[in-house]
Amino acid sequence: MNTTAPQQVTLTPQHKDSLLAGWAVAGLVSLLPTVGLAWLAVLSTERGGRCLTYGERCSTVPGSALYGVFWLSVLAGLAALVWPRARWTYARLGAVGVQWGAQLTLGAMILSGA
C-alpha cells in the first residue's frame, strides 16, 4: 500500500535549460533522418519513380522553399543551443518551437509535393 502523498514537482531554471537544449539537440539530430525518410517514401511511389527515371511529373514544390525551411530549422535549433541560458528562456522556447515547426513543415512539403 502506497502511503506517500503526491508531491508537486517544480522545475528549476537549470532543468528548464537542459530540457530546452535536449529538444533542440533532438531536433537537429532527427532532421536529416526526417528528410531522408520523406524522400525515400516519395521516391518509392510510381510518381517518384517516373520523376527519377524520366524527369516527368516531378514535385511542384520549389527547391528554394525546401532549402529555406531546412536552413530555418537548422538555424533555429542552433540559436536555441547557443542562446544565453540564464536569460530569455521564452525566446529559447520560441526558437525550439520554430525549429520543430519548420522540420515538420519540411517533411510535409516533401511528402505532399510528390
Side-chain angles (χ1 to χ4, degrees):
M1 182 167 157
N2 188 1
T3 58
T4 59
Q7 297 178 3
Q8 287 287 342
V9 176
T10 57
L11 292 176
T12 64
Q14 292 84 11
H15 286 106
K16 290 178 186 177
D17 288 338
S18 64
L19 187 64
L20 283 174
W23 278 102
V25 168
L28 288 171
V29 167
S30 66
L31 180 61
L32 288 179
T34 299
V35 171
L37 288 175
W39 277 116
L40 184 65
V42 167
L43 293 176
S44 67
T45 64
E46 187 228 337
R47 183 176 176 176
R50 289 194 68 82
C51 177
L52 189 62
T53 306
Y54 304 111
E56 301 172 350
R57 299 176 59 195
C58 292
S59 175
T60 58
V61 177
S64 60
L66 295 175
Y67 287 120
V69 176
F70 176 84
W71 287 112
L72 175 65
S73 179
V74 170
L75 292 176
L78 291 176
L81 285 177
V82 300
W83 207 293
R85 303 238 186 248
R87 300 181 300 169
W88 300 333
T89 302
Y90 290 110
R92 290 182 65 220
L93 179 63
V96 171
V98 167
Q99 174 194 12
W100 278 93
Q103 182 172 342
L104 294 174
T105 301
L106 177 63
M109 286 171 64
I110 292 170
L111 291 173
S112 70

